[in-house]
Amino acid sequence: MIALLAPALAVLGPVWTFATSRLGMPLVVAGGIVLAYEGVPIGPLRYIPYVGPALANLVDGRVDREYAAGQLTERLVWQKQQRRALAQLAAKAEAKQKEIDAAAQAYVDQQNTDAVRIADLEQAIRDQKDEDLGPPDQKTGPVCRAGIPARVSTQLDAVGR
């Protein structure tokens, strides 16, 4: 059994001796601290599908984990702000649509009111014409009709006709 471990012990013996020496111990501690914070650099292996993220979880240090947590936090904040902005845009669009609907309804109501007023005014014009003409007089011949009364003309101007 020891014969099998002899090549490994031949290499690890001097390493162990150096690691426990006066100069090696601070280097081992410093290396351990750097390894714990920085992790093992795996470079582009990180981008291999399925294998890269699993490998990164094993060898990433504290800095990489904090960086990933910060990215996640920022992404969540950004998504929240984006949802809020979209909700504000939707509320503005809804308010604008309500304004448009109210203006359209006011226009339709005004058209209906104007139609009634126009019909009344046209009836007033016909009545006025009938009064102005009176019964036809055989002696005098045709009579010139009077113009539209000022009251009816003013009301027509207000309607827009």
Side-chain angles (χ1 to χ4, degrees), residues 40-49 51-53 55-56:
V40 176
I42 58 173
L45 295 177
R46 185 179 306 274
Y47 303 116
I48 297 174
V51 176
L55 185 60

Side-chain angles (χ1 to χ4, degrees), residues 23 78 116 137:
L23 180 62
W78 181 81
V116 171
D137 190 4

Side-chain angles (χ1 to χ4, degrees), residues 53-130:
L55 185 60
N57 284 337
L58 291 175
V59 297
D60 276 350
R62 182 177 176 183
V63 172
D64 291 328
R65 287 190 299 270
E66 291 298 321
Y67 182 77
Q71 279 183 325
L72 177 64
T73 302
E74 288 297 318
R75 186 179 313 114
L76 292 176
V77 167
W78 181 81
Q79 289 172 348
K80 182 179 177 182
Q81 289 175 346
Q82 188 173 15
R83 283 192 303 270
R84 186 178 302 137
L86 289 174
Q88 287 176 347
L89 285 176
K92 285 181 183 178
E94 186 178 340
K96 289 287 185 185
Q97 187 60 46
K98 285 182 181 178
E99 277 184 34
I100 291 170
D101 292 343
Q105 187 61 42
Y107 178 74
V108 169
D109 293 343
Q110 184 64 37
Q111 289 294 320
N112 292 338
T113 304
D114 287 348
V116 171
R117 288 177 62 197
I118 289 170
D120 290 343
L121 291 172
E122 287 174 349
Q123 183 61 39
I125 291 171
R126 282 191 294 274
D127 293 343
Q128 184 68 36
K129 286 181 184 177
D130 290 344

